[in-house]
Amino acid sequence: GAGAGAGGTSSLQSMLEKQESTPPVNPDGGSGPSSSATAAAIMEKAPVLKALLVAALFPQLVIAADTKKAKNSAGKLIARAEDGQKPEDIMLHPQCVAAAKGQTLDSPYLIYHEKVKTTRIFMRDATPVSPHALVLFGGGSLKVASDKQSANRYDIVLRLDDFVGLSCPREVYGLMQELRTELDVVLKKKIE
């Protein structure tokens, strides 16, 4: 398959690269045209697809303390607490594409499909997502954290569902809130 994309390789990118290296088969038995153009078109839309995953899977969210170590036992992943319990440590399942050897996560925030408990608690089908996708499409409350000070005095800390703290420039916060509100209105109209 192709090499890692800029900024790391997500599970979505890895799946597309694997698909690109496998020639498509036509129903009549012959090989079809190369899927590299299709894969490239999908990769351009990857941020949108990841944002949709946030909208669909939130609150199934994990935070990686270190994106380079997240795939081995030294890496610490913290899963969002269920039913108000304390957050739990979790690991990427060894068969998860995001856990492939030699890859680093391109974001400390991961959305996952399911958790499995064997010898430890593992998550499957995990995809790194951007903080912007979390702010705009993550469900739940978004408020300014009064208990947390940003490293940059010009930034504020946004608290998403009392779990994730995200630093945001003060002048951008109002715009993000407005955009999130408008997106909520549009999505509600689409659902109805």
Side-chain angles (χ1 to χ4, degrees), residues 33-173:
S34 169
S35 63
S36 62
T38 304
I42 291 172
M43 285 312 300
E44 286 179 16
K45 295 178 178 133
V48 174
L49 295 173
K50 288 180 178 188
L52 291 172
L53 283 173
V54 170
L57 297 175
F58 191 87
Q60 294 166 216
L61 176 66
V62 171
I63 301 174
D66 184 343
T67 58
K68 289 183 171 100
K69 295 180 181 177
K71 290 186 255 341
N72 60 38
S73 58
K76 187 173 184 180
L77 297 171
I78 304 294
R80 181 188 167 95
E82 292 181 19
D83 302 329
Q85 298 172 10
K86 75 175 204 155
E88 59 188 351
D89 290 342
I90 193 167
M91 292 187 68
L92 284 169
H93 193 278
Q95 293 180 343
C96 180
V97 176
K101 190 173 184 173
Q103 295 180 14
T104 58
L105 301 173
D106 58 358
S107 173
Y109 309 105
L110 290 93
I111 290 288
Y112 65 92
H113 181 254
E114 70 177 330
K115 286 194 289 188
V116 178
K117 185 171 183 175
T118 55
T119 56
R120 296 194 60 173
I121 300 173
F122 291 97
M123 64 176 165
R124 290 187 181 160
D125 304 326
T127 301
V129 295
S130 78
H132 297 103
L134 287 173
V135 168
L136 295 174
F137 295 99
S141 66
L142 180 68
K143 52 190 165 193
V144 175
S146 58
D147 63 330
K148 196 112 175 173
Q149 186 68 30
S150 175
N152 180 342
R153 65 185 176 112
Y154 300 108
D155 289 355
I156 57 174
V157 176
L158 299 177
R159 184 73 63 197
L160 180 61
D161 259 7
D162 294 324
F163 178 61
V164 180
L166 304 162
S167 182
C168 176
R170 289 182 193 277
E171 62 272 6
V172 175
Y173 169 67

